[in-house]
Amino acid sequence: MTAELVRGQNHPLPHTRLEIRVTAAAPVMACATLGDAQGTVRGTEWIAHPGSPTLPGIEVSRQAASGLRFHIDLEAVPEQAHLVHVLLALPEGVGGPDRFGATAAPFAAVTSTDGTEVASFTLTGLDSESAVVALELYRRQGAWKVRAVGQGYAGGLAELLGDHGLPQARAFVSGIQETVARHLASTVQIPLPGAQDGVRVRHEGLSSSATSGTAAQSGPAAQGGSTVPQPLASAPQPASDPVTPSAGAGAPQGGTPGATPSGGTPSGAAAASGGAGGSGGAVNYTHPGRRTSAPPTPPPAAPPAEPGRQPRPVAGDATGWSLDERLYNQVWGMFEDLARAVAAYRSAIDFAESRLDQELDRVLSDPRNRIGGAGEAAREAARAKHDQLAAQAREALDRDLAQLVAESEVVEPALPAAYARWDNPVWHAYRVPMEIPMALRLGDVHLPERPDLRIPMLVRLPLERGLWVDSGRSGSEAALMMDEAQLRGLALDTAVAHAGRLLAVYPPGEFTVHVIDPAGSAARSLTPLTASGALAGPPAAGAAGVAAVLAKLTERVDLVQMAVRGGAAESLPPGLDTAEQLLIVNDFPHGFDDRAVTQLRYLADEGPSVGVHLLMVADREDAAAYGPVLDPLWRSLLRITPVPDDHLADPWVGHAWTYEPPIVPPGSRVLFQVLEQVATARRSWRP
């Protein structure tokens, strides 16, 4: 039976190999410290944190998330350490809450490696604290126990570590926060709750890897690797770890808060609603972060299934006020389903491997089994059990993947232009829209378990952050195989395709594109924009052109901000272009002096809130001379690439997803024809 702890209560630990699962209403970062008999942390080498996530016997999540995992092997903890403290801290400077009192109470569950919950603790009563000691694991008379602590620190992680005896804690924590900020910049943001007006309708016959015995027991383990606003900007070396536990994917089994916290992140009880025990029955696929009030427009009914077969998927299999909204919710539902199914599969494989290691350890610990037939038979039996568990997990995953592939084959042809690939026939019937769509497709994402199952990467409009097309060769293998000039040209082509799509989905006169090309090197790639007449003016060249465009857009941001704050929108100058503005910047920082760099940072920070957006085409190494001054700029932008690259992470589990940019089919004139229609509509449009 699970022990539901209160502050100060302890409980014996029946196992030395443990997982600690934390659910929070906002992204938090995980740390763990070792302490001596007096509770003192002897140095930074006794601290596990996102920048250095492992210690002997301890591994923590590599990025801040609303669902965290701590992997503990108490037998491997150094003998000098008598305590293990489990710490939670709020990231700084990333736009999230600055105190735990502003969010729902975090929940921590201690489980064995097979998923059996040992103890749980809800960290209630927190207010101004931004860091907290959640749990303490301690030795007592040769055995280990867990104590619910819940001691918070208003001074944050630096104050907490300093209180535990770490010298120069503030400088050390500054480095941790910087690492976490970089990782969060590469996370695809889940749509805000208000943007999700319906729940995803799932067929009852759909299987889930979460329902296989091993997956249900173990939940998603922390995955190493690279790191898909709460939707993106990318970090050079991101990490991917669990974010939000789900039913069968590591959700707490009991003692969890009953309500869904604000912000759309499920609490432990809500996340466990699907039943992770593998006891049979349909899995509840309702996404707990979505509003369940059904709007007037119902989803289409699924065709009846043939006997013994799964129901056939239909496009728009989610609720919403329009077909576009239903498709948007359905795509995000597919995204989440795939993330959680793969998490359950990977967790099941981790469990099978952990069980194999334990059984082999037991065999080798008995001297009688080290030689002879008995030992070999035991080893073969352990390997056979491992293979059986792995095969069961793969079978369950394949069922889920087959259903999602079938759904994708139905959904993709039904997508409207804003959500569709460039090779979709919908573009051949394109007409300039009269309304702004909900979202825009920036490309596709996929996981290595099924590379051909590509999920559209949809971001809400208007854009909440700028875009950065990385033209550097420091990323994927595909980038390293290309020469510098070829990669830069491809990055420019990618940027033009994104700009063309943005122009195409906005009504006439409601979206304006400017270009800064200081050296004039982008002429070929810019041809679709310049030849069609879709640009507001010729690309700005030279230092003078850079200064003029930046001054104009900076002034626009200032004027609109003052008008909004003063409640006097009608006082804007008559000639001010009130349309959304996109600034394409090529070859940064060439042609930029210090003043221009400052203005660019200002536009990146303040522009999106008043309709001014950046689309940077740049190699970060070219601006290395500026040092950390430009780090906030890169973090504020969503990093995308001109070639496939696995730098994005999902907001639920934190897998490393491979991003693929939208490619205009070779030889196709679809982009040019669409932009010609946009330019013609703008010339004929009258305000």
Side-chain angles (χ1 to χ4, degrees), residues 176-229:
I176 298 176
Q177 294 283 6
E178 176 68 20
T179 299
V180 170
R182 288 199 307 268
H183 289 173
L184 284 176
S186 64
T187 301
V188 179
Q189 295 177 351
I190 190 169
L192 296 175
Q196 293 175 271
D197 290 320
V199 298
R200 174 162 160 74
V201 179
R202 304 300 296 147
H203 304 300
E204 292 184 0
L206 179 63
S207 68
S208 170
S209 302
T211 62
S212 70
T214 54
Q217 291 169 343
S218 52
Q223 304 293 332
S226 300
T227 269
V228 128

Side-chain angles (χ1 to χ4, degrees), residues 317-473:
D317 189 11
T319 55
W321 295 93
S322 65
L323 178 59
D324 285 3
E325 186 173 356
R326 295 201 302 267
L327 288 168
Y328 171 81
N329 284 335
Q330 185 173 14
V331 167
W332 268 89
M334 293 166 60
F335 187 13
E336 183 173 355
D337 283 348
L338 180 56
R340 296 191 187 280
V342 170
Y345 166 72
R346 293 179 180 178
S347 179
I349 296 300
D350 287 345
F351 170 72
E353 292 176 351
S354 174
R355 179 169 178 167
L356 174 63
D357 291 341
Q358 293 180 47
E359 293 184 356
L360 291 178
D361 288 345
R362 283 197 295 268
V363 171
L364 294 174
S365 65
D366 188 346
R368 295 171 297 180
N369 291 333
R370 294 177 185 172
I371 57 175
E376 185 60 30
R379 285 189 286 270
E380 288 300 324
R383 294 189 183 98
K385 183 62 175 177
H386 168 273
D387 294 344
Q388 179 187 3
L389 294 175
Q392 290 174 351
R394 185 69 212 193
E395 181 182 0
L397 175 65
D398 286 343
R399 287 196 300 268
D400 280 356
L401 293 179
Q403 183 73 2
L404 287 169
V405 167
E407 188 171 14
S408 177
E409 291 173 348
V410 171
V411 169
E412 189 69 49
L415 295 177
Y419 305 172
R421 290 196 295 252
W422 284 112
D423 60 357
N424 191 310
V426 71
W427 286 107
H428 296 291
Y430 169 78
R431 295 293 182 270
V432 178
M434 291 296 105
E435 294 182 353
I436 301 173
M438 283 187 61
L440 183 82
R441 187 174 189 157
L442 287 184
D444 298 330
V445 292
H446 65 81
L447 290 172
E449 282 77 5
R450 190 66 188 261
D452 62 325
L453 177 53
R454 291 175 168 81
I455 305 297
M457 189 177 119
L458 303 181
V459 296
R460 289 299 301 266
L461 291 179
L463 295 173
E464 297 177 356
R465 61 198 299 192
L467 305 176
W468 164 32
V469 182
D470 189 354
S471 60
R473 300 180 64 223

